[in-house]
Amino acid sequence: LPTLLTHPAVPLGLALGLGRKAISPRLAAVGVLASVLPDLDVLAFKLGIPYAAQFGHRGFSHSLVFALVIGVLGLALAPLLRAPRWRSFLFLSIATASHGLLDAFTNGGLGIALLWPFSDTRYFAPVQPIEVSPLGLSRFLSPRGAAVLRSEALWVWLPCLLTASLILASRRRRA
Ligand SMILES: [Zn+2]
């Protein structure tokens, strides 16, 4: 994982750029949850499931199929989220899928089971500029934790903020 603090950069950036008329505050909040949801799979370690197993960390919950399932849930619950169904589907799918895709850019751990259930292969991106976050808070509050936050600021928060401002700017121009 990039840290739990950083995955929400994607849904927050999108919501900020598109504005609250397009992405309701409820939909944005559920998008934030969706972006960190895949890492609930660290429970697998407690249950004795090996890292490399399909139900291990960075396994099924980090796949594109899992992201689509969360999207379909969003589609079904769209009225509660005060959003059109297709928008709720797209936003939550993207928020969830972004988690596994970002993890693939980290420089440690095992790769991501992006194509589960069709393949158990663990994938990494061709470049891995993001410092992998240590598992566990105690190790996180160390000099290494600061290096992780720096690399996440540079490689995740900055691009997300830039994207948000670009979307905002193009919306303003059209208005
Ligand atoms: Zn993860």
Side-chain angles (χ1 to χ4, degrees), residues 51-138:
Y51 197 158
Q54 60 176 327
F55 293 110
H57 183 44
R58 290 185 165 183
F60 84 104
S61 68
H62 286 55
S63 67
L64 297 175
V65 164
F66 182 82
L68 287 177
V69 169
I70 299 300
V72 168
L73 263 174
L75 185 144
L77 300 175
L80 284 177
L81 304 175
R82 312 257 158 85
R85 291 191 189 274
W86 64 270
R87 196 177 296 157
S88 180
F89 168 80
L90 263 184
F91 187 73
L92 294 185
S93 296
I94 291 171
T96 314
S98 72
H99 182 113
L101 293 172
L102 277 181
D103 277 2
F105 284 91
T106 59
N107 63 4
L110 290 183
I112 310 306
L114 268 186
L115 299 184
W116 181 89
F118 307 106
S119 158
D120 286 345
T121 308
R122 297 298 191 99
Y123 293 93
F124 272 118
V127 288
Q128 290 125 33
I130 308 176
E131 286 284 333
V132 76
S133 175
L135 295 163
L137 190 66
S138 54

Side-chain angles (χ1 to χ4, degrees), residues 1-2 4 7 35-42 57-58 61-62 99-100 102-103 112:
L1 62 167
L4 284 182
H7 282 293
S35 75
V36 294
L37 178 68
D39 272 348
L40 275 187
D41 68 1
V42 292
H57 183 44
R58 290 185 165 183
S61 68
H62 286 55
H99 182 113
L102 277 181
D103 277 2
I112 310 306

